[in-house]
Amino acid sequence: MHKDADFSLFGASSHQYRVKGKLTAKEVEDWQDRNQVTLPESFTKFLTEIGNGGAGPYYGIYSLDKAASNTERQALFAKPALHPGMTKEEWNDLIKPLTEDDDISDEEYDEARNKVLGGMLCIGTQGCEYDMYLVLEGEYRGKIVYTSDFHPDHPFFFVYEDSFLDWYERWLDEIILNYEGSWFGVLMPGNEEVLMQTYQKAPNEEMQTKALDGMFKFKKVSQETIDFLKSIADQSPKHRSTAIQLICKTSFDTGAKFLMELLRSDVHEDFLEALKILNGHRKTVDLAEFYPDILQRFDRINNLETLRYAGYILEECDAVTLQHFKPYLCSADPNMQTTAIYAARYCKNKAGSWQIIEDMFVEGDQQVLKNSILYWGLIPHEKLLPYYRAVWPDYKNNPNFRDKFITCLQELHLPDDYFEQNGS
């Protein structure tokens, strides 16, 4: 509570680091008898020696009665079906009735859902569709599982700790150590030294990836860790991108060299990765030094995602014009046109590029024209008036858009009823 006095950690304002009154051993025993389950010893110790819910990860820990009310009784009695390391194929097969059967009855849906959540007690929520469950029996009894909706290819996540108290104490430790806490428990535990050693001794690339990802919880790292990440960026193509992201997160100036290399790479995926990393820093770092390299390779962009990220980064660049976006604004693909319109929304002097806009209107359908009005407003140029006039009937009764049309006319010194006089 002293470390996070203003409750800035996600969910902390709801529980304010206060726990509820403890339960007696008899109260826990009576609850278990009523519900015909036996709680893991670690959780029982929490209830009887710490408190019956309250402060905890995300929005906190439910009281025992609230946990029961948030758990389907049939699921409580079912055998656990989940396990750590569950493959996508196993998961997809398990949830098939929930995702592929449109004609499933309510009873069958509940039965399938309870099978997925079998043998677990809901002990808290992370917000939205995400909840925290405690495994009550079987090989993984006592472990915490993070759940979400039943998305294909995304099995529920088992946290790293084997018991409730280990998981709970890690939460307290990471707050005190000032780690990032938004997605507590998802990243591999351990300090910088532990994670570096884990990476170096990892038996496979998957474990290396988890060790590196675990470093995203650090707000600051030592020079030793920076040097470690630089060596990975230089020597490991598989983990280069992650290492650069981590370097930039804690020392952007050090990471700038690697970002330039990615931007100048002939591999399109490298270029996109650099844009994504830069986008994550554009509100806190002046990115002007990267503009020339991005603009130099602008005509090589070949997909919507890359164009969108390039647009984000170049929002503050005075040198970017509609001429840079022309191949995409006049593309035969309406999706590419729409993405380009949005990406170019901050380009200045659009009226000076009226010919490009007219070409876009000629080549595109009416939705492209409407998207330009949505993201750009109306560009005051007489050559574009026939196109705006064509859609005027769709906008004239909408006060917000009507004002945009009138403003455009006024900038061209034309009467407010110009579109009424010159069109239907």
Side-chain angles (χ1 to χ4, degrees), residues 53-290:
Y58 300 94
Y59 287 99
I61 306 301
Y62 288 155
S63 68
L64 200 49
D65 285 341
K66 187 172 182 179
S69 69
N70 280 274
T71 307
E72 289 291 336
R73 195 165 182 78
Q74 295 306 313
L76 202 61
F77 298 149
K79 296 292 183 182
L82 306 178
H83 62 86
M86 176 176 268
T87 66
K88 292 179 181 179
E89 292 74 21
E90 289 177 298
W91 170 254
N92 292 343
D93 186 61
L94 180 63
I95 65 169
K96 187 178 295 184
L98 303 171
T99 58
E100 297 185 8
D101 188 351
D102 294 334
D103 298 323
I104 190 171
S105 67
D106 290 345
E107 292 77 11
E108 291 172 325
Y109 184 92
D110 290 341
E111 182 180 353
R113 181 181 184 277
N114 290 338
K115 182 178 179 181
V116 177
L117 299 173
M120 301 193 300
L121 177 69
C122 184
I123 60 168
T125 182
Q126 298 166 308
C128 298
E129 65 188 36
Y130 302 92
D131 292 312
M132 303 177 289
Y133 278 77
L134 175 69
V135 181
L136 299 178
E137 61 174 278
E139 183 180 355
Y140 305 105
R141 172 179 162 84
K143 287 186 74 73
I144 303 297
V145 178
Y146 292 172
T147 72
S148 60
D149 206 349
F150 305 107
H151 301 295
D153 297 336
H154 291 282
F156 291 162
F157 178 76
F158 280 72
V159 303
Y160 289 87
E161 290 72 27
D162 289 327
S163 75
F164 174 88
L165 285 178
D166 288 345
W167 169 75
Y168 191 89
E169 187 171 8
R170 176 188 168 189
W171 174 67
L172 296 172
D173 289 343
E174 293 195 357
I175 295 171
I176 293 169
L177 291 168
N178 198 33
Y179 290 173
E180 301 278 4
S182 298
W183 285 103
F184 164 75
V186 174
L187 302 177
M188 181 179 283
N191 59 24
E192 295 173 51
E193 182 179 357
V194 167
L195 292 176
M196 283 191 286
Q197 291 179 355
T198 300
Y199 180 91
Q200 292 164 337
K201 298 177 180 179
N204 51 53
E205 287 186 345
E206 181 183 2
M207 186 61 70
Q208 288 181 321
T209 298
K210 289 181 178 179
L212 277 184
D213 287 345
M215 293 188 176
F216 280 106
K217 64 179 179 286
F218 304 137
K219 295 180 181 178
K220 296 180 180 179
V221 295
S222 66
Q223 185 59 48
E224 180 184 0
T225 300
I226 291 289
D227 292 340
F228 166 77
L229 294 170
K230 286 167 66 177
S231 69
I232 294 175
D234 284 331
Q235 301 170 16
S236 174
K238 177 72 174 180
H239 297 118
R240 187 184 188 203
S241 175
T242 303
I244 294 172
Q245 288 182 60
L246 287 164
I247 294 169
C248 291
K249 182 177 186 290
T250 56
S251 178
F252 188 84
D253 289 343
T254 303
K257 163 185 171 289
F258 295 99
L259 289 174
M260 284 295 192
E261 291 176 359
L262 288 178
L263 285 177
R264 294 167 182 171
S265 168
D266 292 331
V267 179
H268 182 270
E269 288 74 16
D270 288 347
F271 183 67
L272 174 57
E273 191 58 44
L275 294 178
K276 287 181 176 179
I277 296 172
L278 288 168
N279 182 59
H281 295 273
R282 65 189 171 98
K283 294 184 179 180
T284 57
V285 177
D286 183 357
L287 302 180
E289 65 177 302
F290 301 97

Side-chain angles (χ1 to χ4, degrees), residues 346-357:
Y346 290 108
C347 285
K348 297 178 180 178
N349 189 28
K350 290 187 177 68
S353 301
W354 65 268
Q355 210 157 16
I356 294 175
I357 300 174

